[in-house]
mmCIF file with all atom_site columns, all heavy atoms in Angstrom:
data_model
loop_
_atom_site.group_PDB
_atom_site.id
_atom_site.type_symbol
_atom_site.label_atom_id
_atom_site.label_alt_id
_atom_site.label_comp_id
_atom_site.label_asym_id
_atom_site.label_entity_id
_atom_site.label_seq_id
_atom_site.pdbx_PDB_ins_code
_atom_site.Cartn_x
_atom_site.Cartn_y
_atom_site.Cartn_z
_atom_site.occupancy
_atom_site.B_iso_or_equiv
_atom_site.pdbx_formal_charge
_atom_site.auth_seq_id
_atom_site.auth_comp_id
_atom_site.auth_asym_id
_atom_site.auth_atom_id
_atom_site.pdbx_PDB_model_num
ATOM 1  N N   . LEU N 1 95  ? -9.486  -21.222 28.081 1.00 0.00 ? 177 LEU N N   1
ATOM 2  C CA  . LEU N 1 95  ? -8.056  -21.437 28.297 1.00 0.00 ? 177 LEU N CA  1
ATOM 3  C C   . LEU N 1 95  ? -7.661  -22.862 27.923 1.00 0.00 ? 177 LEU N C   1
ATOM 4  O O   . LEU N 1 95  ? -6.598  -23.085 27.337 1.00 0.00 ? 177 LEU N O   1
ATOM 5  C CB  . LEU N 1 95  ? -7.683  -21.146 29.755 1.00 0.00 ? 177 LEU N CB  1
ATOM 6  C CG  . LEU N 1 95  ? -7.743  -19.679 30.196 1.00 0.00 ? 177 LEU N CG  1
ATOM 7  C CD1 . LEU N 1 95  ? -7.483  -19.568 31.699 1.00 0.00 ? 177 LEU N CD1 1
ATOM 8  C CD2 . LEU N 1 95  ? -6.730  -18.822 29.431 1.00 0.00 ? 177 LEU N CD2 1
ATOM 9  N N   . GLN N 1 96  ? -8.521  -23.821 28.218 1.00 0.00 ? 178 GLN N N   1
ATOM 10 C CA  . GLN N 1 96  ? -8.208  -25.212 27.849 1.00 0.00 ? 178 GLN N CA  1
ATOM 11 C C   . GLN N 1 96  ? -8.190  -25.368 26.332 1.00 0.00 ? 178 GLN N C   1
ATOM 12 O O   . GLN N 1 96  ? -7.350  -26.070 25.772 1.00 0.00 ? 178 GLN N O   1
ATOM 13 C CB  . GLN N 1 96  ? -9.244  -26.200 28.442 1.00 0.00 ? 178 GLN N CB  1
ATOM 14 C CG  . GLN N 1 96  ? -9.405  -26.125 29.944 1.00 0.00 ? 178 GLN N CG  1
ATOM 15 C CD  . GLN N 1 96  ? -8.087  -25.973 30.650 1.00 0.00 ? 178 GLN N CD  1
ATOM 16 O OE1 . GLN N 1 96  ? -7.192  -26.805 30.552 1.00 0.00 ? 178 GLN N OE1 1
ATOM 17 N NE2 . GLN N 1 96  ? -7.946  -24.889 31.388 1.00 0.00 ? 178 GLN N NE2 1
ATOM 18 N N   . ARG N 1 97  ? -9.130  -24.703 25.688 1.00 0.00 ? 179 ARG N N   1
ATOM 19 C CA  . ARG N 1 97  ? -9.204  -24.745 24.222 1.00 0.00 ? 179 ARG N CA  1
ATOM 20 C C   . ARG N 1 97  ? -7.938  -24.118 23.612 1.00 0.00 ? 179 ARG N C   1
ATOM 21 O O   . ARG N 1 97  ? -7.431  -24.598 22.597 1.00 0.00 ? 179 ARG N O   1
ATOM 22 C CB  . ARG N 1 97  ? -10.425 -23.974 23.748 1.00 0.00 ? 179 ARG N CB  1
ATOM 23 C CG  . ARG N 1 97  ? -11.754 -24.652 24.026 1.00 0.00 ? 179 ARG N CG  1
ATOM 24 C CD  . ARG N 1 97  ? -12.132 -25.501 22.864 1.00 0.00 ? 179 ARG N CD  1
ATOM 25 N NE  . ARG N 1 97  ? -13.556 -25.746 22.777 1.00 0.00 ? 179 ARG N NE  1
ATOM 26 C CZ  . ARG N 1 97  ? -14.137 -26.287 21.708 1.00 0.00 ? 179 ARG N CZ  1
ATOM 27 N NH1 . ARG N 1 97  ? -13.425 -26.609 20.657 1.00 0.00 ? 179 ARG N NH1 1
ATOM 28 N NH2 . ARG N 1 97  ? -15.428 -26.502 21.714 1.00 0.00 ? 179 ARG N NH2 1
ATOM 29 N N   . ILE N 1 98  ? -7.464  -23.052 24.209 1.00 0.00 ? 180 ILE N N   1
ATOM 30 C CA  . ILE N 1 98  ? -6.236  -22.412 23.720 1.00 0.00 ? 180 ILE N CA  1
ATOM 31 C C   . ILE N 1 98  ? -5.061  -23.370 23.899 1.00 0.00 ? 180 ILE N C   1
ATOM 32 O O   . ILE N 1 98  ? -4.225  -23.532 23.002 1.00 0.00 ? 180 ILE N O   1
ATOM 33 C CB  . ILE N 1 98  ? -5.949  -21.085 24.468 1.00 0.00 ? 180 ILE N CB  1
ATOM 34 C CG1 . ILE N 1 98  ? -7.028  -20.050 24.151 1.00 0.00 ? 180 ILE N CG1 1
ATOM 35 C CG2 . ILE N 1 98  ? -4.574  -20.535 24.076 1.00 0.00 ? 180 ILE N CG2 1
ATOM 36 C CD1 . ILE N 1 98  ? -6.919  -18.794 25.004 1.00 0.00 ? 180 ILE N CD1 1
ATOM 37 N N   . GLN N 1 99  ? -5.012  -24.047 25.040 1.00 0.00 ? 181 GLN N N   1
ATOM 38 C CA  . GLN N 1 99  ? -3.956  -25.036 25.264 1.00 0.00 ? 181 GLN N CA  1
ATOM 39 C C   . GLN N 1 99  ? -4.013  -26.124 24.202 1.00 0.00 ? 181 GLN N C   1
ATOM 40 O O   . GLN N 1 99  ? -2.983  -26.544 23.671 1.00 0.00 ? 181 GLN N O   1
ATOM 41 C CB  . GLN N 1 99  ? -4.126  -25.694 26.633 1.00 0.00 ? 181 GLN N CB  1
ATOM 42 C CG  . GLN N 1 99  ? -3.347  -25.039 27.732 1.00 0.00 ? 181 GLN N CG  1
ATOM 43 C CD  . GLN N 1 99  ? -3.206  -25.928 28.933 1.00 0.00 ? 181 GLN N CD  1
ATOM 44 O OE1 . GLN N 1 99  ? -4.199  -26.345 29.533 1.00 0.00 ? 181 GLN N OE1 1
ATOM 45 N NE2 . GLN N 1 99  ? -1.995  -26.229 29.275 1.00 0.00 ? 181 GLN N NE2 1
ATOM 46 N N   . LEU N 1 100 ? -5.216  -26.573 23.928 1.00 0.00 ? 182 LEU N N   1
ATOM 47 C CA  . LEU N 1 100 ? -5.419  -27.608 22.914 1.00 0.00 ? 182 LEU N CA  1
ATOM 48 C C   . LEU N 1 100 ? -4.942  -27.107 21.555 1.00 0.00 ? 182 LEU N C   1
ATOM 49 O O   . LEU N 1 100 ? -4.267  -27.820 20.813 1.00 0.00 ? 182 LEU N O   1
ATOM 50 C CB  . LEU N 1 100 ? -6.893  -28.004 22.850 1.00 0.00 ? 182 LEU N CB  1
ATOM 51 C CG  . LEU N 1 100 ? -7.286  -29.032 21.783 1.00 0.00 ? 182 LEU N CG  1
ATOM 52 C CD1 . LEU N 1 100 ? -6.524  -30.332 21.977 1.00 0.00 ? 182 LEU N CD1 1
ATOM 53 C CD2 . LEU N 1 100 ? -8.788  -29.279 21.810 1.00 0.00 ? 182 LEU N CD2 1
ATOM 54 N N   . MET N 1 101 ? -5.269  -25.855 21.234 1.00 0.00 ? 183 MET N N   1
ATOM 55 C CA  . MET N 1 101 ? -4.845  -25.280 19.966 1.00 0.00 ? 183 MET N CA  1
ATOM 56 C C   . MET N 1 101 ? -3.314  -25.238 19.892 1.00 0.00 ? 183 MET N C   1
ATOM 57 O O   . MET N 1 101 ? -2.730  -25.494 18.846 1.00 0.00 ? 183 MET N O   1
ATOM 58 C CB  . MET N 1 101 ? -5.410  -23.867 19.807 1.00 0.00 ? 183 MET N CB  1
ATOM 59 C CG  . MET N 1 101 ? -5.191  -23.298 18.411 1.00 0.00 ? 183 MET N CG  1
ATOM 60 S SD  . MET N 1 101 ? -5.840  -21.644 18.228 1.00 0.00 ? 183 MET N SD  1
ATOM 61 C CE  . MET N 1 101 ? -4.510  -20.683 18.909 1.00 0.00 ? 183 MET N CE  1
ATOM 62 N N   . ALA N 1 102 ? -2.679  -24.919 20.998 1.00 0.00 ? 184 ALA N N   1
ATOM 63 C CA  . ALA N 1 102 ? -1.216  -24.876 21.034 1.00 0.00 ? 184 ALA N CA  1
ATOM 64 C C   . ALA N 1 102 ? -0.635  -26.264 20.740 1.00 0.00 ? 184 ALA N C   1
ATOM 65 O O   . ALA N 1 102 ? 0.309   -26.406 19.959 1.00 0.00 ? 184 ALA N O   1
ATOM 66 C CB  . ALA N 1 102 ? -0.735  -24.373 22.390 1.00 0.00 ? 184 ALA N CB  1
ATOM 67 N N   . VAL N 1 103 ? -1.217  -27.277 21.353 1.00 0.00 ? 185 VAL N N   1
ATOM 68 C CA  . VAL N 1 103 ? -0.749  -28.653 21.143 1.00 0.00 ? 185 VAL N CA  1
ATOM 69 C C   . VAL N 1 103 ? -0.959  -29.067 19.688 1.00 0.00 ? 185 VAL N C   1
ATOM 70 O O   . VAL N 1 103 ? -0.065  -29.633 19.050 1.00 0.00 ? 185 VAL N O   1
ATOM 71 C CB  . VAL N 1 103 ? -1.501  -29.620 22.089 1.00 0.00 ? 185 VAL N CB  1
ATOM 72 C CG1 . VAL N 1 103 ? -1.261  -31.069 21.701 1.00 0.00 ? 185 VAL N CG1 1
ATOM 73 C CG2 . VAL N 1 103 ? -1.088  -29.382 23.533 1.00 0.00 ? 185 VAL N CG2 1
#
Side-chain angles (χ1 to χ4, degrees):
Chain N
L177 290 174
Q178 304 319 300
R179 288 269 204 169
I180 294 172
Q181 267 197 300
L182 177 59
M183 189 180 83
V185 168

